[in-house]
Amino acid sequence: MEEDAETRKISSSFLRDHSYATEADIISTVEFNHTGELLATGDKGGRVVIFQREQESKNQPHRRGEYNVYSTFQSHEPEFDYLKSLEIEEKINKIRWLPQQNAAYFLLSTNDKTVKLWKVSERDKRPEGYNLKDEDGRLRDPSMITMLRVPVLRPMDLMVEATPRRVFANAHTYHINSISVNSDYETYMSADDLRINLWNFEITNQSFNIVDIKPANMEELTEVITAAEFHPHHCNTFVYSSSKGTIRLCDMRTAALCDRHAKFFEEPEDPSNRSFFSEIISSISDVKFSHSGRYIMTRDYLTVKVWDLNMENRPIETYQVHDYLRSKLCSLYENDCIFDKFECVWNGSDSVIMTGSYNNFFRMFDRNTKRDVTLEASRENSKPRAILKPRKVCVGGKRRKDEISVDSLDFSKKILHTAWHPSENIIAVAATNNLYIFQDKVN
């Protein structure tokens, strides 16, 4: 976010046509893999679309960075729970990549109830010359087989196949809100409103319940789990956030059931700011460890906070995302926007953080220079190599010509899901049913 990088160049954008957009096309999660070569999106229709980054060619060096569709598959289907008379949506809540071990890629995707492990692999050869089948795949009459053939591999057009390798089901009573792959790469966790389960990748029929905050009497329920994530380097440590605005750090070495937290992060409330909406807007919608593992970032309705793992009583940094909405909380409550769950992401070096807002705005905060910028993801500025201009929102008083009034913000356009390339300044921003990919200006 230096001077010239403050305006971001669009390298490419994947746009679905608005006129045909349906509820099923709304993007519900965005995730880069560990190298950044692949980018996966999940949508409300249960589909996963994977984009692959173009390799740099000698005659077109500037094309490096463009992402094109690599594979599309239906991950989840709508289901019906007959015991509870409930429809289970196919919407993909989260996608998490596993580190690549061989030529194939593996990713976890989850809807409200079921986590699936998918293998995405390429095939450019096909076997020919079977003994028991003819070329169409029909079984041959054994009495007609008179000689033994040696099958051969023939080249064919490249095909990308997605196959479900594991299905982890029937372990959650409530809706799954997060999944996180452990740094041992043997286990992962899935969290719902009241419980967190630990799974082994090889075992689909049982999981270990590591957190259970369900009270004996549900009328005494005061908070729910909103997000959970494993530490990037220590396989025994994880955090989870709650609707009360608190974060608990747990150590699995202390007990099998992590009902007692190792650390408890909470900021004391300022009594002068107390209002009817205080509890709603303090609910944490996302929690993320920094790549270094030293800090945790949390997003609530109006702010992003950075916490040092060694200091539990208050965050070390607080960034106002859209403080101008404080006066609008009443109408945001009436139109249900106050319950929107925004995500937040770190850049590869943990120096810049990004999160979304309304009117297709997204915000970036530089932790070193303390400068911030508001950018807009829209069709108007989505021409290749267009420059993104910083946007400003004015509250009352006279409005300058390049500012937008807080009263004319579009609350139906919101950026809830964002992702940052693990090592480069490339970001992916999901605006309703459109995916925008922006890249730092390349000289």
Side-chain angles (χ1 to χ4, degrees):
M1 286 176 62
E2 299 305 316
E3 271 304 321
D4 63 358
E6 199 170 87
T7 50
R8 301 203 158 246
K9 185 197 80 170
I10 293 185
S11 68
S12 65
S13 23
F14 165 71
L15 299 165
R16 292 176 174 154
D17 196 335
H18 266 295
S19 51
Y20 297 108
T22 62
E23 178 81 5
D25 293 327
I26 294 174
I27 296 172
S28 52
T29 183
V30 187
E31 191 77 12
F32 279 102
N33 75 338
H34 291 254
T35 60
E37 291 302 302
L38 297 181
L39 170 69
T41 66
D43 63 25
K44 284 194 171 181
R47 290 180 300 256
V48 172
V49 181
I50 300 176
F51 300 87
Q52 185 179 44
R53 194 175 183 190
E54 285 294 304
Q55 295 303 316
E56 191 169 348
S57 59
K58 287 194 172 67
N59 46 359
Q60 291 178 310
H62 64 274
R63 280 184 66 95
R64 172 86 174 131
E66 293 208 359
Y67 283 81
N68 293 319
V69 176
Y70 176 65
S71 173
T72 305
F73 58 93
Q74 188 74 28
S75 173
H76 287 68
E77 302 279 356
E79 292 173 58
F80 193 79
D81 184 336
Y82 291 99
L83 280 175
K84 300 193 178 76
S85 294
L86 279 178
E87 283 185 52
I88 302 169
E89 284 186 8
E90 64 272 41
K91 173 189 163 210
I92 308 290
N93 291 344
K94 284 282 185 291
I95 289 173
R96 289 288 177 264
W97 290 91
L98 276 68
Q100 195 177 355
Q101 309 283 353
N102 50 30
Y105 302 98
F106 287 88
L107 62 90
L108 287 172
S109 66
T110 183
N111 67 349
D112 284 342
K113 297 287 181 189
T114 306
V115 185
K116 293 184 181 181
L117 174 69
W118 289 88
K119 177 185 180 183
V120 181
S121 54
E122 295 181 355
R123 210 170 67 182
D124 59 358
K125 293 186 176 64
R126 68 162 180 265
E128 280 182 9
Y130 287 107
N131 288 289
L132 299 178
K133 290 190 236 171
D134 59 24
E135 297 311 325
D136 299 331
R138 288 191 297 267
L139 284 172
R140 295 168 65 192
D141 180 359
S143 61
M144 303 294 290
I145 301 171
T146 55
M147 54 183 273
L148 189 66
R149 294 195 292 176
V150 179
V152 289
L153 288 172
R154 296 248 186 268
M156 60 178 252
D157 291 340
L158 181 70
M159 217 170 89
V160 181
E161 292 179 311
T163 46
R165 296 306 300 268
R166 305 267 190 283
V167 177
F168 306 89
N170 307 324
H172 285 278
T173 313
Y174 308 98
H175 295 338
I176 298 173
N177 55 45
S178 23
I179 47 176
S180 178
V181 178
N182 200 346
S183 57
D184 62 10
Y185 304 136
E186 288 179 13
T187 55
Y188 76 91
M189 69 177 170
S190 56
D192 68 23
D193 296 337
L194 298 179
R195 296 194 179 101
I196 300 176
N197 291 333
L198 180 70
W199 300 83
N200 186 302
F201 278 111
E202 301 300 322
I203 302 166
T204 59
N205 58 356
Q206 69 180 104
S207 60
F208 291 99
N209 181 218
I210 51 174
V211 172
D212 186 350
I213 65 165
K214 185 180 179 181
N217 178 4
M218 281 295 271
E219 287 175 8
E220 294 166 10
L221 182 69
T222 57
E223 62 181 333
V224 294
I225 298 167
T226 54
E229 190 177 59
F230 268 119
H231 190 284
H233 314 303
H234 303 312
C235 61
N236 53 286
T237 310
F238 66 93
V239 291
Y240 68 91
S241 59
S242 89
S243 55
K244 274 193 162 174
T246 61
I247 309 111
R248 290 173 176 84
L249 180 87
C250 299
D251 188 338
M252 291 193 289
R253 294 174 300 189
T254 54
L257 190 63
C258 301
D259 280 358
R260 281 208 199 63
H261 44 265
K263 293 192 176 184
F264 182 74
F265 300 86
E266 183 178 29
E267 187 172 26
E269 190 183 21
D270 180 359
S272 62
N273 276 343
R274 179 117 188 104
S275 74
F276 169 75
F277 304 108
S278 296
E279 279 190 21
I280 304 173
I281 62 172
S282 67
S283 174
I284 293 173
S285 55
D286 197 15
V287 59
K288 292 264 171 59
F289 270 106
S290 61
H291 296 80
S292 66
R294 171 73 191 268
Y295 304 102
I296 343 174
M297 167 168 56
T298 59
R299 169 74 210 255
D300 56 40
Y301 191 66
L302 294 176
T303 65
V304 171
K305 292 172 181 164
V306 176
W307 303 76
D308 189 316
L309 279 193
N310 301 327
M311 191 165 89
E312 298 167 56
N313 58 345
R314 61 189 169 84
I316 52 167
E317 297 157 30
T318 300
Y319 300 98
Q320 299 296 335
V321 179
H322 36 217
D323 206 41
Y324 46 79
L325 294 183
R326 258 183 217 283
S327 59
K328 294 258 175 288
L329 292 178
C330 204
S331 53
L332 289 163
Y333 178 75
E334 284 168 2
N335 64 15
D336 277 353
C337 284
I338 202 166
F339 302 107
D340 285 334
K341 293 177 167 52
F342 291 95
E343 294 172 7
C344 52
V345 287
W346 302 88
N347 72 338
S349 60
D350 299 334
S351 60
V352 182
I353 55 188
M354 171 173 65
T355 190
S357 179
Y358 293 103
N359 209 67
N360 280 0
F361 288 170
F362 58 98
R363 305 270 282 131
M364 289 185 175
F365 303 95
D366 189 310
R367 297 178 59 208
N368 301 325
T369 64
K370 299 298 179 220
R371 285 167 53 199
D372 63 273
V373 64
T374 303
L375 300 170
E376 182 183 8
S378 71
R379 295 196 146 230
E380 288 65 56
N381 56 26
S382 66
K383 308 286 181 287
R385 280 173 291 287
I387 299 290
L388 281 188
K389 294 189 171 54
R391 303 298 305 263
K392 290 232 173 4
V393 177
C394 81
V395 187
K398 287 189 71 175
R399 183 169 68 89
R400 297 200 191 123
K401 71 172 173 54
D402 57 344
E403 291 184 334
I404 182 165
S405 158
V406 68
D407 295 315
S408 54
L409 293 174
D410 187 344
F411 292 107
S412 66
K413 292 180 175 172
K414 52 193 102 170
I415 289 178
L416 304 176
H417 314 286
T418 55
W420 201 307
H421 189 288
S423 54
E424 296 179 43
N425 277 339
I426 298 175
I427 57 172
V429 174
T432 323
N433 59 312
N434 299 323
L435 177 71
Y436 297 90
I437 299 173
F438 303 113
Q439 180 180 358
D440 237 352
K441 197 154 65 176
V442 182
N443 295 328

